[in-house]
Amino acid sequence: MKFFIDTANLAQIKEANDLGILDGVTTNPSLMAKEGIKGHDAVMQHYKTICEMVDGPVSAEVLGTTFEGIIEEGKKLVQIHKNIVVKVPMIKDGIKAIKWFTDNDIRTNCTLVFSAGQAILAAKAGASFVSPFIGRIDDSSWDGVQLIEQIVRIYNAQGFMTEVLAASIRNPLHIVRCAEAGADVCTCPLSSILGLLKHPLTDLGLEQFLKDAQAMQ
Ligand code: E4P
């Protein structure tokens, strides 16, 4: 399973990248706004900076909701850097646009996916990635990981090439369960990635080893 970081924060991207386990980045308009990035040129520059930091796909989301608007934005986004993947919402014009991007060799990430039916449409249109939002599903008292399992089963049965990108990750257990479910990619906040490191027995064991090593000196 590939690890993407789900942020537009450059310090967090650097910290995850320095671990050596980062395969890409996802952003969305809310994450960009959180960093205080304002204006078209600043947004484009920020995507460029991220692409120069991480050697892997960087999802940049369109803001348009019409076929023409999405295509126009997507064409500009892919000119920023070869790593840009155009992130398109799961709406009717979004699906049409994904098909157009597929036919024109432009990679896409179909976002805001909450059902297996939506994931089938995204795959039929040729999306490179499909992003089911598992944390938001959990927030409404459904099991988001079950959706990942179902989409993985369908894609395997049908031979779809779209990669299942588990998004809206809230904690390290989500990452573990998505890996078990067969997700191709997990896009995570830095806190969830670092949470994978944690185990009290590791800390206690290391403390004891270091103490015993001192006795040998
Ligand atoms: C990433 O592709 C998604 O936009 C992101 O994971 C959504 O996460 P959230 O539900 O925490 O906002």
Side-chain angles (χ1 to χ4, degrees):
M1 185 173 76
K2 287 174 230 168
F3 271 43
F4 290 0
I5 188 162
D6 193 24
T7 185
N9 181 283
L10 300 181
Q12 292 187 12
I13 292 171
K14 183 178 181 324
E15 189 174 340
N17 202 35
D18 285 351
L19 275 175
I21 50 92
L22 198 62
D23 300 298
V25 182
T26 52
T27 63
N28 63 35
S30 307
L31 293 170
M32 294 289 277
K34 204 169 150 191
E35 298 310 311
I37 302 149
K38 280 204 177 100
H40 176 265
D41 291 353
V43 168
M44 294 303 211
Q45 180 53 50
H46 201 75
Y47 286 138
K48 187 163 185 267
T49 306
I50 295 173
C51 289
E52 284 165 355
M53 289 171 74
V54 179
D55 187 20
V58 173
S59 289
E61 191 157 342
V62 296
L63 306 177
T65 52
T66 62
F67 174 74
E68 294 76 15
I70 295 170
I71 300 297
E72 192 187 330
E73 270 185 78
K75 280 188 197 163
K76 285 184 190 147
L77 286 169
V78 292
Q79 276 166 20
I80 300 173
H81 195 279
K82 65 175 173 45
N83 286 353
I84 290 284
V85 172
V86 184
K87 204 171 177 194
V88 181
M90 166 44 74
I91 53 175
K92 200 171 174 186
D93 280 39
I95 288 298
K96 275 171 71 179
I98 289 171
K99 178 69 171 85
W100 187 91
F101 287 130
T102 305
D103 292 343
N104 287 277
D105 292 325
I106 292 173
R107 288 180 299 167
T108 52
N109 174 356
C110 183
T111 189
L112 288 165
V113 166
F114 293 90
S115 76
Q118 292 177 327
I120 291 171
L121 268 184
K124 285 292 291 178
S128 317
F129 300 97
V130 66
S131 287
F133 278 29
I134 71 168
R136 293 192 195 187
I137 293 175
D138 284 6
D139 291 344
S140 8
S141 77
W142 293 47
D143 185 355
V145 177
Q146 275 184 11
L147 176 60
I148 300 292
E149 290 167 355
Q150 189 183 18
I151 296 171
V152 168
R153 270 198 309 275
I154 292 169
Y155 281 14
N156 285 343
Q158 298 296 330
F160 288 135
M161 299 306 286
T162 300
E163 292 189 56
V164 180
L165 191 167
S168 186
I169 296 289
R170 302 264 193 265
N171 55 57
L173 186 57
H174 269 157
I175 303 176
V176 172
R177 290 191 65 209
C178 285
E180 197 174 12
D184 299 289
V185 191
C186 216
T187 189
C188 326
L190 180 64
S191 57
S192 299
I193 297 175
L194 296 180
L196 293 172
L197 287 165
K198 288 186 197 159
H199 199 289
L201 289 179
T202 303
D203 298 339
L204 282 172
L206 182 61
E207 196 184 325
Q208 187 65 48
F209 285 155
L210 293 177
K211 214 165 125 197
D212 292 344
Q214 263 185 357
M216 294 188 304
Q217 280 164 12

